[in-house]
Amino acid sequence: MSASAEATVLISHEVGLHARPSVKFTKLAKRFSAEVEVALAANGPWFDAKSIVKVMAAKAPKGTVLHIRARGDGAGEAVGALVELVRRDFDEGVDHARTA
């Protein structure tokens, strides 16, 4: 039986999932052997989180809830790492200390 994991995370980055965050997101997803997918709605459509073209095409703005799921070895670690990256505003150094 294959491991699986799912989570949701709110994009708080001022310009959303634009070019630089998309690159960071896909690079991190590629570090895991699990199949990783992302969607902008719980019922999909789901797309490959390791595809820069597909992630950038999502054009997810600030305030979007990302749905992330993974299957296979390291699924939980992959989902956890991607959620934390989004929560850290993609490590872009922008001050988002205010909480909603």
Side-chain angles (χ1 to χ4, degrees):
M1 185 159 48
S2 184
S4 64
E6 290 187 34
T8 59
V9 63
L10 179 70
I11 297 175
S12 61
H13 191 279
E14 284 299 319
V15 292
L17 193 57
H18 64 88
R20 282 187 315 273
S22 292
V23 168
K24 291 178 182 182
F25 191 87
T26 57
K27 279 186 177 181
L28 181 57
K30 288 177 183 180
R31 291 171 51 190
F32 297 93
S33 61
E35 174 186 329
V36 185
E37 295 178 307
V38 65
L40 304 183
N43 59 346
W46 291 88
F47 50 93
D48 184 358
K50 297 179 182 182
S51 168
I52 186 63
V53 172
K54 292 179 180 179
V55 172
M56 284 182 66
K59 298 182 181 174
K62 178 181 179 179
T64 299
V65 174
L66 281 184
H67 300 265
I68 304 168
R69 68 183 182 188
R71 280 188 305 272
D73 290 339
E77 293 85 355
V79 169
L82 290 166
V83 165
E84 285 307 309
L85 178 67
V86 175
R87 285 185 180 153
R88 294 190 316 264
D89 284 336
F90 306 96
D91 296 332
E92 294 235 319
V94 178
D95 182 18
H96 290 285
R98 295 173 300 228
T99 57

